[in-house]
Amino acid sequence: METLQNIVQTINFYLSDYILVILLVGTGLFFSIRTRFVQVRCFGEGMRRVFGGFSMRGGKQKGGLSSFQALTTAIAAQVGTGNIIGSCSAILVGGPGAIFWMWIIAFFGMATIYAEAVLAQETRVVHEDGSVDGGPVYYIKRAFRGKFGSFLAGFFAVAITLALGFIGCMVQSNSIGETCSNAFGIPAWIIGLLVAAAAAFVFLGGVQRVASVTEKLVPIMAVLYLLGGLVLLLLRLPYLPETFGMIFKYAFFPNAIIGGGIGYAIKIAISQGVKRGLFSNEAGMGSTPHAHAMAKVEKPHDQGVVAMVGVFIDTFLVLTMTALVVISTLYAGDGPLASGAAEGISQTNMAQLAFSSVFGNGIGSVFVAICLLFFAFSTILSWNFFGKVNVAYLFGKKATVVYSILAVVMIFLGSCLSNDFVWQLSDLFNQLMVIPNALALLALAPLVISSARSAKPK
């Protein structure tokens, strides 16, 4: 197991430090410039489309999903352990400055996810019975004809099935098991069994049941977490200037807190920001287009601007709240991490320690455990749906039953396995997904640019 973990770590090092940085930043920068910064021009339009007709009772659709249901299904995938455990990992390894680079990735990622949603709408397939199929495999094949396109689409389908449908759900259940075990003293395997049973019930209802659950769960869980974080920040108000100062200072001089030479330290901070930023908001990864393809909208641009709001909520609200809470309690002032790493503090318990330092051990641990349970469970639901679309593409719809059974088993097993190794595997397949997806986005850029430039901000 240790040998295998070292191999996976080595591959991840080259993917995240070189290939991923170039692809994600390059793609986001390209679409930002060519769409005349659609994430700025049309941000207001996106917010109005999301909250103008806000409803947690979208009901069942005859085919596809409402635009809000598609967004909450996408946000359910985005807002998971990456917002709590992932951001803590980025800070612990890359220092507080890693959060700055996560912001940069998210800003450009809003243009990237606009492109993904537009192309998902442009290439989706509506069947005679009203059901809808869509996602990266469809626009990858549009971008690259013939055997090469089929190979890239197949590669993506296999990667996302492993990354999200199986290993990704193991990451989520692993984090649920550990945090709930810390908070309630219940063995992780029992938590895993309960989560697997609840997930199986939702899986059986198909995409409509997933959407029905996420449209209610996502707004509630986001508001609960943000309110709890806001209360803590008010109590730590004197430390907020120092907190923001550390984020910006250590973005460019991280060696002062993580050691090593300045060049090495900056590379670590940036790579952690990129890697964990990808895992958090999923822009460019090719996961959320499966949800946005299902949306009933007048034109692709309409869902593109809605998709941008998902990245904003994920990174600039939820993830940033985690970062401010952790840095203001564990780093600012005389925090235990003010001078670097401290024994006993890991990516898994950082958030609980941060909240507990202000609210007390009992309340802080329980609050984080409950929030993470909501976040991770909703992510499991969406990721299972994304994997199911690709399993159907590869093997036909009958194979989705076997896939769902295996996914439930993996959810249970995830609660029992080593956290570090599960995260390493998840990073590997997440990063492999980016390659064919980003290539297809760039190849079909004229469609995206035309959609963005023809739209007039409202």
Side-chain angles (χ1 to χ4, degrees):
M1 183 66 73
E2 185 177 350
T3 300
L4 183 59
Q5 184 169 342
N6 289 335
I7 293 172
V8 172
Q9 281 181 318
T10 301
I11 297 173
N12 282 341
F13 170 78
Y14 287 102
L15 285 173
S16 63
D17 286 22
Y18 300 101
I19 298 175
L20 203 63
V21 169
I22 295 171
L23 273 179
L24 285 179
V25 176
T27 302
L29 183 61
F30 172 80
F31 280 113
S32 294
I33 295 172
R34 295 304 305 276
T35 62
R36 298 171 184 167
F37 287 89
V38 67
Q39 67 268 52
V40 178
R41 290 191 301 112
C42 300
F43 180 73
E45 178 187 353
M47 294 294 282
R48 286 189 291 273
R49 288 190 177 279
V50 172
F51 297 106
F54 176 81
S55 173
M56 293 168 63
R57 294 179 176 271
K60 291 186 176 181
Q61 310 294 317
K62 292 182 180 180
L65 305 173
S66 69
S67 181
F68 183 71
Q69 285 177 329
L71 176 65
T72 55
T73 301
I75 292 179
Q78 294 166 309
V79 180
T81 57
N83 296 83
I84 299 180
I85 308 295
S87 61
C88 289
S89 174
I91 295 170
L92 191 63
V93 178
I99 299 302
F100 173 83
W101 298 110
M102 293 178 91
W103 290 341
I104 297 297
I105 284 295
F107 175 75
F108 291 123
M110 290 173 71
T112 303
I113 211 165
Y114 171 86
E116 291 180 299
V118 166
L119 292 179
Q121 281 282 321
E122 289 277 7
T123 60
R124 71 182 195 153
V125 177
V126 181
H127 301 287
E128 292 183 1
D129 62 356
S131 62
V132 179
D133 286 327
V137 290
Y138 294 93
Y139 59 69
I140 288 173
K141 292 192 73 172
R142 169 81 70 87
F144 306 104
R145 305 288 184 179
K147 292 183 179 180
F148 182 64
S150 297
F151 167 77
L152 284 182
F155 178 85
F156 176 88
V158 171
I160 192 173
T161 301
L162 293 173
L164 305 188
F166 293 144
I167 299 171
C169 288
M170 291 175 69
V171 167
Q172 305 296 329
S173 64
N174 187 283
S175 298
I176 292 173
E178 288 202 22
T179 52
C180 287
S181 180
N182 291 337
F184 306 113
I186 303 173
W189 70 268
I190 294 179
I191 299 294
L193 194 63
L194 294 174
V195 171
F201 170 74
V202 180
F203 293 168
L204 291 173
V207 65
Q208 293 293 340
R209 186 174 293 176
V210 171
S212 178
V213 172
T214 58
E215 72 177 344
K216 299 173 181 62
L217 191 59
V218 166
I220 292 173
M221 72 182 189
V223 170
L224 173 67
Y225 186 69
L226 291 174
L227 284 176
L230 186 60
V231 171
L232 184 146
L233 292 181
L234 288 174
L235 295 174
R236 299 287 293 179
L237 194 60
Y239 295 94
L240 285 186
E242 182 183 356
T243 297
F244 280 101
M246 293 176 81
I247 292 174
F248 289 101
K249 173 185 175 181
Y250 293 130
F252 300 98
F253 302 100
N255 60 314
I257 197 166
I258 65 176
I262 183 65
Y264 169 80
I266 287 180
K267 187 176 76 169
I268 292 297
I270 294 175
S271 67
Q272 284 297 312
V274 172
K275 183 165 60 177
R276 295 305 172 198
L278 170 67
F279 188 80
S280 174
N281 63 54
E282 301 185 21
M285 199 164 79
S287 54
T288 58
H290 298 90
H292 295 303
M294 306 286 289
K296 291 182 174 180
V297 290
E298 290 184 11
K299 55 185 183 296
H301 169 81
D302 297 345
Q303 194 60 24
V305 295
V306 167
M308 295 190 309
V309 175
V311 173
F312 177 82
I313 292 173
D314 171 87
T315 301
F316 292 102
L317 294 183
V318 181
L319 184 144
T320 297
M321 181 61 74
T322 300
L324 295 179
V325 165
V326 167
I327 297 170
S328 68
T329 55
L330 302 184
Y331 285 85
D334 58 351
L337 292 173
S339 58
E343 187 176 351
I345 298 180
S346 68
Q347 63 182 31
T348 305
N349 66 10
M350 277 183 78
Q352 287 180 312
L353 290 174
F355 277 98
S356 296
S357 68
V358 176
F359 295 150
N361 289 332
I363 296 176
S365 294
V366 169
F367 176 76
V368 174
I370 291 174
C371 290
L372 188 64
L373 174 62
F374 283 140
F375 286 176
F377 182 70
S378 64
T379 299
I380 287 172
L381 301 184
S382 292
W383 280 1
N384 176 265
F385 164 60
F386 299 162
K388 186 177 291 183
V389 171
N390 288 276
V391 168
Y393 169 80
L394 289 169
F395 307 110
K397 293 190 180 294
K398 291 183 179 180
T400 58
V401 177
V402 177
Y403 159 77
S404 294
I405 294 172
L406 289 174
V408 171
V409 173
M410 298 294 273
I411 291 169
F412 170 71
L413 291 177
S415 65
C416 310
L417 295 180
S418 166
N419 188 48
D420 288 340
F421 184 56
V422 172
W423 274 85
Q424 289 290 338
L425 282 176
S426 180
D427 284 341
L428 173 63
F429 288 105
N430 283 342
Q431 292 167 154
L432 289 176
M433 288 165 53
V434 173
I435 299 172
N437 183 63
L439 291 176
L441 294 178
L442 294 171
L444 295 176
L447 287 175
V448 178
I449 296 167
S450 175
S451 176
R453 292 191 175 184
S454 63
K456 297 180 180 179
K458 298 179 181 179

